[in-house]
Amino acid sequence: MDFLLSGLLAVTWQQWLMFLIGGLLIYLAIAKGFEPSLLLPMGFGAILVNIPLSGVLNQTIEGVGNTQGIIQWLFETTISASEALPILLFIGIGAMIDFGPLLSNPKMFLFGGAAQFGIFFTILLAALLGFNLNDAASIGIIGAADGPTSILVSQIMNSQYMGPIAVAAYSYMALVPIVQPFAIKLVTTKKERMIRMEYNPKSVTKLTKLIFPIVVTIIAGLIAPQSVALVGFLMFGNLIRECGVLGSLSETAQTSLANLITLLLGITIAFKMQAGDFINTNTLLIMVLGLVAFVFDTIGGVLFAKIMNLFLKSKVNPMVGAAGISAFPMSARVIQKMGLEEDPTNHLLMHAISANVAGQIGSVVAGGVVINIVSQMLK
Amino acid sequence: MNQNVIYALEIMGKGMLSIFVVIILLTFIVLLLTKVTNLPLFKGKDDAE
């Protein structure tokens, strides 16, 4: 009977805990609807990789020799060796985004920059808490509110905390409707939240929409060359969408490609959720720091809007600044809802969507900038 | 102060500066593009949205 019980007896308490965490992620995905496309594969993957002598990981079996595990192979091939999965996902994301509202209201670009403040604040906090620079930078990028960017940066930075970082990034993206209202109310008054904004979009020509992705890639690439993979693939997807002659490819990028990669990305990332790497106090610390990153992104965007209001004739509702994060379109919806709660006739959705789209650009640029600066420092 | 903390402060300064340089440049380019592409020379009958 020993051969039947050997697996059961080999499970450590850390692996039992990982089964629970996997179950919790699956529960949050199904019952609460928290980023189900990512949290469910990650949760199930967490169970797969923590079964002793799991066949999804490379193993050395006595008398047989080395065996290959599919999740380990996927991780080593598509993330560790090439960062292919997160980068390719950006083609799909780019194809999904309509930059029209932002192009017709370009001052909203500024919020896409301001709301990245949480990234840098969190890097500082992580460094103060004793994380080395690679790990601190990777933890800070949770504030990009962008899962693929977080995964990519932590991989390039060779961080040992990719698993907790991915879990934190996707969990807090799902919790934007809870985190952002709390942070916004901390730094705004009711009067500020009731500010009305007129919506007078400028007309945007097709030529502008076509030139825009090319210009963004060149500008971002010249200033932060490491952002080219991220920004370039995002903008490549957008160019496919806007060119008007690749309808079928655009459709494929938005649906089949994005779905396929999302499906594989979650379960592949689970490779980094093995009990030995995941169960430690730093994981808890990373979850807290991730929350701090989201809160300070929000505060950064709101305070920037308040500073802008010192110079503007027609005031900006500071809540719109908070939509400058990458969590699209959740953040814009939160701002619209909060605006309506304060004044049922105050519609902020189009302004918030413009800022939210700017946040998509801001977050990938921030990812590239962080890689650039940190790699130069570590030379 | 820990060297990493000093580096982190430097990352914050350089990082926010870089992001704003990119964003401000893009803002100006979009404003310019909007103006230029709305000139009769570039603007077709149906291409404005």
Side-chain angles (χ1 to χ4, degrees):
Chain A
M1 287 298 283
D2 280 357
F3 76 97
L4 284 176
L5 294 173
S6 61
L8 185 66
L9 295 174
V11 185
T12 62
W13 69 267
Q14 290 94 336
Q15 287 167 323
W16 283 118
L17 188 55
M18 286 311 297
F19 293 159
L20 282 178
I21 291 172
L24 177 68
L25 293 180
I26 294 171
Y27 167 78
L28 291 175
I30 297 172
K32 301 288 179 187
F34 287 0
E35 293 286 330
S37 56
L38 264 304
L39 289 191
L40 190 144
M42 281 168 74
F44 194 69
I47 295 171
L48 292 181
V49 300
N50 282 293
I51 292 173
L53 300 172
S54 171
V56 298
L57 304 175
N58 295 353
Q59 303 288 353
T60 305
I61 301 174
E62 265 183 62
V64 176
N66 296 334
T67 59
Q68 297 292 313
I70 180 67
I71 289 185
Q72 185 158 352
W73 178 83
L74 277 171
F75 183 84
E76 288 171 354
T77 312
T78 61
I79 294 186
S80 183
S82 59
E83 290 104 29
L85 282 187
I87 291 175
L88 289 175
L89 186 54
F90 275 104
I91 298 178
I93 297 171
M96 288 179 210
I97 302 175
D98 176 9
F99 284 110
L102 176 63
L103 297 176
S104 65
N105 196 4
K107 77 175 173 207
M108 292 294 156
F109 260 117
L110 296 171
F111 298 125
Q116 308 307 321
F117 175 70
I119 295 175
F120 300 100
F121 183 80
T122 308
I123 293 176
L124 178 62
L125 208 56
L128 275 168
L129 289 169
F131 285 97
N132 68 37
L133 212 51
N134 299 40
D135 291 328
S138 307
I139 294 165
I141 284 293
I142 296 171
D146 185 338
T149 304
S150 302
I151 293 167
L152 185 81
V153 172
S154 53
Q155 171 58 29
I156 292 176
M157 289 284 108
N158 206 13
S159 170
Q160 56 182 312
Y161 300 114
M162 188 193 284
I165 287 168
V167 171
Y170 283 112
S171 305
Y172 291 127
M173 276 164 67
L175 290 174
V176 158
I178 297 167
V179 176
Q180 284 214 300
F182 159 76
I184 289 170
K185 284 181 180 170
L186 272 182
V187 286
T188 54
T189 61
K190 187 173 174 66
K191 193 178 165 194
E192 285 171 331
R193 294 196 294 274
M194 289 177 73
I195 292 176
R196 301 178 78 92
M197 293 172 71
E198 281 184 29
Y199 186 63
N200 300 313
K202 292 186 177 73
S203 118
V204 180
T205 61
K206 186 176 176 187
L207 185 59
T208 303
K209 285 186 167 185
L210 277 175
I211 295 173
F212 178 70
I214 301 167
V215 168
V216 172
T217 308
I218 293 172
I219 301 269
L222 290 177
I223 292 171
Q226 288 295 331
S227 70
V228 169
L230 291 166
V231 179
F233 275 63
L234 182 77
M235 291 300 149
F236 173 54
N238 191 250
L239 188 58
I240 290 173
R241 174 198 173 96
E242 299 297 348
C243 71
V245 292
L246 294 173
S248 153
L249 289 191
S250 169
E251 181 69 22
T252 304
Q254 291 180 46
T255 54
S256 309
L257 178 72
N259 285 341
L260 186 61
I261 294 173
T262 304
L263 182 76
L264 290 176
L265 189 59
I267 205 155
T268 304
I269 282 300
F271 175 71
K272 284 287 179 181
M273 294 179 74
Q274 293 172 62
D277 297 332
F278 201 90
I279 305 289
N280 55 57
T281 46
N282 282 344
T283 296
L284 287 177
L285 215 48
I286 289 166
M287 296 306 285
V288 174
L289 286 168
L291 180 61
V292 169
F294 271 67
V295 168
F296 276 85
D297 276 347
T298 305
I299 290 176
V302 170
L303 293 184
F304 189 79
K306 288 171 110 172
I307 293 169
M308 274 175 73
N309 279 346
L310 298 175
F311 306 98
L312 291 174
K313 272 186 188 167
S314 52
K315 305 292 181 202
V316 174
N317 188 313
M319 292 197 295
V320 170
I325 64 169
S326 178
F328 181 86
M330 238 177 305
S331 186
R333 283 188 193 145
V334 167
I335 304 310
Q336 160 78 347
K337 191 171 164 229
M338 288 185 74
L340 290 175
E341 276 170 9
E342 302 295 347
D343 172 359
T345 60
N346 191 9
H347 293 275
L348 299 168
L349 186 64
M350 289 315 289
H351 301 286
I353 280 190
S354 308
N356 212 177
V357 168
Q360 298 257 322
I361 297 176
S363 70
V364 287
V365 172
V369 162
V370 167
I371 295 169
N372 229 26
I373 298 173
V374 175
S375 56
Q376 279 173 17
M377 282 177 174
L378 295 174
K379 261 182 193 171
Chain B
M1 202 187 292
N2 182 328
Q3 184 63 40
N4 277 347
V5 176
I6 295 166
Y7 279 146
L9 283 168
E10 196 179 331
I11 294 169
M12 183 186 272
K14 286 182 176 174
M16 286 306 286
L17 179 69
S18 307
I19 292 171
F20 270 106
V21 167
V22 172
I23 293 286
I24 289 168
L25 268 174
L26 290 178
T27 309
F28 280 118
I29 288 170
V30 168
L31 285 170
L32 193 69
L33 270 177
T34 309
K35 276 211 186 329
V36 171
T37 58
N38 272 312
L39 291 173
L41 179 67
F42 292 99
K43 200 175 174 186
K45 261 187 173 179
D46 302 314
D47 63 356
E49 287 173 23

